[in-house]
Amino acid sequence: MKILLNEQQIGHGIDRLASQLKEHYKDHPITIVGIMTGSLVMLADLIRRLEMPVRISLIQASSYRGGTQSGDLVIQDQMMLDIKDRDVLLIDDIFDTGKTLVQVTQRLVAMKPKSIRTAVFLNKLGQSVVASVPDFVVFEIPNEFVVGYGLDYEDLYRNLPYVGVLEASDLQIHVSA
Ligand code: IMP
Ligand code: MG
């Protein structure tokens, strides 16, 4: 698999994001809402670099179809903390068309937070079909299908400590495994 971002680059990227968040929120308490399952690894790494009081909440967004196609989005918010009047930071693994982040943001806005900002690990350039952009982006990447550091292909590869470009040969290994 071609490695796009190695562990060291990712570590520096998360350090940078933590500094930007410290600058933005100072010592104010925040509630981080992680979109499951892709944001899991970033969430775990990021929160250990933050010093302000942090509450952790989870929300799930998934499309009906597996694989690289995105289908209709289903949002499950049973695991959400109460975010009314809270400063919320919504995080996701990747901003592709932007539909996931926009729809989940709308769901959270209905819960009346004091503020809401968004942070993504990856921004896939040139793919957005929405008007808004994430407030914080760790890395911009070209339009390739990537896995690792939380990102999956059919729920596999999330545990890779690096980000790799999934190639046809990898898929064949996957299919025959
Ligand atoms: P969006 O709604 O099109 O922005 O897509 C966001 C979701 O699609 C992410 O949360 C991922 O689950 C998935 N996704 C988009 N691009 C990739 C990719 O390159 N690798 C793995 N998952 C992806
Ligand atoms: Mg996914």
Side-chain angles (χ1 to χ4, degrees), residues 36-38 61-63 67 92-94 145 150-155 158:
M36 296 299 287
T37 303
S62 47
S63 54
D92 202 6
D93 53 358
I94 188 164
F145 194 84
L151 291 129
D152 74 302
Y153 173 71
E154 294 193 346
D155 289 307
R158 294 193 199 274

Side-chain angles (χ1 to χ4, degrees), residues 96-116:
D96 184 18
T97 65
K99 288 179 184 174
T100 303
L101 206 64
V102 163
Q103 287 182 42
V104 175
T105 301
Q106 283 167 354
R107 178 71 65 96
L108 298 189
V109 165
M111 300 174 186
K112 309 247 182 291
K114 183 160 77 179
S115 71
I116 180 157

Side-chain angles (χ1 to χ4, degrees), residues 61-74 94 96-100 103 124 127 129 145:
S62 47
S63 54
Y64 278 116
R65 272 181 267 171
T68 57
Q69 300 280 333
S70 57
D72 288 332
L73 196 70
V74 180
I94 188 164
D96 184 18
T97 65
K99 288 179 184 174
T100 303
Q103 287 182 42
K124 213 183 259 191
Q127 291 302 107
V129 298
F145 194 84

